[in-house]
Amino acid sequence: MRRLKANSMSKGGTSIQDVAREAKVSIATVSRVLNQPDLVTAETAGRVRDAIKLLGYVPNAYAQGLSRRHGKVLGIVLPDIYGEFYSELLRGADGEARRLGFHLLVSSDAHDHGSPTRTENLAFGLIDGLALMMTEPNMELWRETLDAALPTVVLDADINEPGVDSVVVDNAMGTHEAAEHLLEKTPASNCFFVGGPRENFDTAQRAEEFRKALIAKGHAVKEDQFAFGEYSVDWGRRWAADRIKSGGLKNAAVLAGNDEIALGIMQAAQDAGVGVPKDLRIVGFDDTRIATIVRPALSAVRVPLLDIGAAVVRLLVERVGNSEKPATREKLPTKLIVRESSRV
Amino acid sequence: MRRLKANSMSKGGTSIQDVAREAKVSIATVSRVLNQPDLVTAETAGRVRDAIKLLGYVPNAYAQGLSRRHGKVLGIVLPDIYGEFYSELLRGADGEARRLGFHLLVSSDAHDHGSPTRTENLAFGLIDGLALMMTEPNMELWRETLDAALPTVVLDADINEPGVDSVVVDNAMGTHEAAEHLLEKTPASNCFFVGGPRENFDTAQRAEEFRKALIAKGHAVKEDQFAFGEYSVDWGRRWAADRIKSGGLKNAAVLAGNDEIALGIMQAAQDAGVGVPKDLRIVGFDDTRIATIVRPALSAVRVPLLDIGAAVVRLLVERVGNSEKPATREKLPTKLIVRESSRV
DNA sequence: TCCGAAAAAGAAAGCGTTTTCATGGCGTGC
DNA sequence: GCACGCCATGAAAACGCTTTCTTTTTCGGA
């Protein structure tokens, strides 16, 4: 294999050596100018900085990582990068990461079946911390692979691994608010919960809280008031269509597991001539931007996606800086936003 | 500063040394098992692989990068990670990157003002290639910083830098189709184009093509048939509200610069009692998922976001592998999808 | 049975940093 | 005016891996 020209990394391939030569100092001094400027004379530092500018020198991150035993890179693995939900999460994470001087290595889990691939393995040698959001089934697989030495924070899952931080949302809070809001004008027997997958952590919590609220009203809950499917518009549509066909939807209300489901329900209702909110009141979950775009505007429990992303990164960085820190579980508030789709 | 325990990188800190010792071979052999397996006996390779598994060894990516003079990391910088548009792009990029064994370092440009920061500089020493999508004004700033030696591909911009690949969409194709579709039933004088920022590359092309189509109909274009603002729901709303107030919108049609604008227009129209598509026919641009969720469903020119993301990564990887490759400009097709919002 | 070539394995030289340790120059306190 | 200590700098080791370059082993053919 042909040997590359001596200096041929990206960025022109100028190395610390070149800078040192140009500034007539040792490489140690150059390094110090960059990392501990107070250890070097103003005059020398000036010369070095000039050389750096002149040569367009950028430190080689690999060499730094090797020498320092860590880089400034965080990995974030999501079930899929898809739609407003994840993009908002990512946005929050990106902002915080940038603020803290870290980079984000993003990867979605959708392409293989949840088991870390060669690619992931490479990443493990590269990242200083890992943010993980996964659907339940895969969690087990990852647990085997995960390394106790790699700072990890898990999103939206009931993980109780020692040394693994987690960020969750206070599902009870928003759900309770939403339930109260719906029950205020709609009889408990006409209230429905249409969630995502039954095994999903959030869906489970939301359903449970909703159930409690119904019971608190002194209502004997019927099982068909709860439905579980997937986090998709289509599932919402199907549920509503079925429901309309079988029993009709009059003076009813529904809390959906996320905005997409809510939208599907709204759509199917409208298509079938069921008035929203007149006949059917709908509340979504997450409060993604789309909630304000559709007509009628969708009421929704707001989940602070941006904050979640930021919190994840913050926790990770804290742990990277101090591996002794005990595991934290951060819980972020949720809150009902009432719009037309549920207003009576 | 306290010296860390000898082997204390993430992933348990097992190094190639440990594996070598365990398998009773030299580190060279371990490396070969991993990178050029045919150079080593099946028996030895087996022993080494056992050791690797036993010790949970993961190669240190920094050391590899340093030794190989490159990693497997691509940087991608977007104006902002926000909404369906970018998330879809990212999704395409992620899939392709994974397929090719690369990682994606994602960063949004929104937080500082377009000039590369310390963070970015670090990234420059880390990434092997850069995908860049920026609004025009910032482009200049970056150009100064960009390095000829760093493979770069630019999205959706009319860059003509030597050695810089680009990926663009065929705006003319879809715009033409959309224009024809609208003009079929609506008089040219009642057709409008409501775009994003005037200086935006795509908006400019789309407007131009739309204009051509009107002229081809023998119509003397009035300037108020073209409006420029920003890529937001709100701008769409404002335009429609103004228009309705000033002239009314009857038997009219509009091509929007993206789906968000289209949605804003649709909303304002509906709020003002203007029927869509009865009085106003609307076609969006991009065909993000939201187009199928709103009612009436939004007609839109489909932009292959997923493919764009994938193409960007593919181009980048090709160039990383072969820096002599001449600069390519890839143009992806667009295509009108007719839904209810424009159906007569 | 032995020779020579090919295959397999090892030794060691980098890759570009950071950081420890060593060194020389200088100012300060007596 | 002298010793001591501090400060600025340099020399060199270490980080973990890949890749030459060597050395050792194996094996086929005479």
Side-chain angles (χ1 to χ4, degrees), chain A residues 9 11-12 62 69 81-82 91 98 103 107-108 112 119 126 145 147 260 267 271 289 293 295, chain B residues 9 11-12 62 69 81-82 91 98 103 107-108 112 119 126 145 147 260 267 271 289 293 295:
Chain A
M9 278 296 285
K11 200 62 195 177
Y62 292 99
R69 291 174 174 63
I81 303 167
Y82 195 65
R91 190 154 165 260
R98 165 172 302 234
H103 293 284
S107 168
S108 103
D112 38 44
T119 310
L126 185 61
T145 325
D147 181 5
E260 302 220 358
Q267 239 180 61
D271 291 355
R289 220 157 35 108
I293 295 183
R295 285 298 132 101
Chain B
M9 277 297 285
K11 199 61 196 179
Y62 293 100
R69 290 173 172 64
I81 303 167
Y82 195 64
R91 190 154 165 261
R98 165 172 302 234
H103 293 284
S107 169
S108 101
D112 39 42
T119 311
L126 185 62
T145 324
D147 179 5
E260 302 220 358
Q267 239 180 61
D271 290 356
R289 220 159 35 112
I293 294 183
R295 285 297 133 103

Side-chain angles (χ1 to χ4, degrees), chain A residues 217-237:
Chain A
K217 274 288 187 246
H219 172 67
V221 177
K222 284 169 299 176
E223 265 324 303
D224 72 342
Q225 291 182 262
F226 290 79
F228 301 92
E230 50 188 44
Y231 280 132
S232 74
V233 175
D234 196 53
W235 155 237
R237 268 192 210 121

Side-chain angles (χ1 to χ4, degrees), chain A residues 155-167:
Chain A
L155 276 88
D156 266 345
D158 199 11
I159 280 309
N160 221 334
E161 212 78 359
V164 173
D165 292 307
S166 64
V167 176

Side-chain angles (χ1 to χ4, degrees), chain A residues 92-93 96 153 167 306-317 330 332:
Chain A
E96 186 75 1
V153 12
V167 176
L306 219 61
D307 298 343
I308 295 178
V312 164
V313 168
R314 186 167 36 71
L315 246 40
L316 223 37
V317 172
E330 192 144 328
L332 276 60

Side-chain angles (χ1 to χ4, degrees), chain B residues 42-74:
Chain B
E43 198 264 327
T44 317
R47 237 171 44 239
V48 170
R49 269 189 270 269
D50 288 349
I52 288 180
K53 190 154 297 175
L54 177 66
L55 272 46
Y57 167 69
V58 174
N60 179 311
Y62 293 100
Q64 285 187 318
L66 184 55
S67 190
R68 297 212 252 245
R69 290 173 172 64
H70 68 266
K72 284 282 195 176
V73 181
L74 264 26

Side-chain angles (χ1 to χ4, degrees), chain B residues 184-246:
Chain B
E184 204 179 315
K185 306 279 185 175
T186 305
S189 56
N190 288 354
C191 288
F192 299 89
F193 177 85
V194 183
R198 183 178 245 111
E199 44 313 339
N200 182 87
F201 176 66
D202 288 315
T203 279
Q205 285 199 341
R206 291 167 194 177
E208 192 44 41
E209 188 64 26
F210 195 70
R211 185 185 307 269
K212 274 195 208 152
L214 294 190
I215 291 171
K217 273 286 186 247
H219 172 66
V221 177
K222 282 169 300 175
E223 266 323 302
D224 73 342
Q225 290 183 263
F226 290 79
F228 301 91
E230 50 188 44
Y231 280 132
S232 75
V233 174
D234 195 53
W235 155 236
R237 268 193 209 119
R238 285 194 328 258
W239 179 84
D242 282 2
R243 193 77 216 168
I244 289 167
K245 202 175 306 170
S246 67

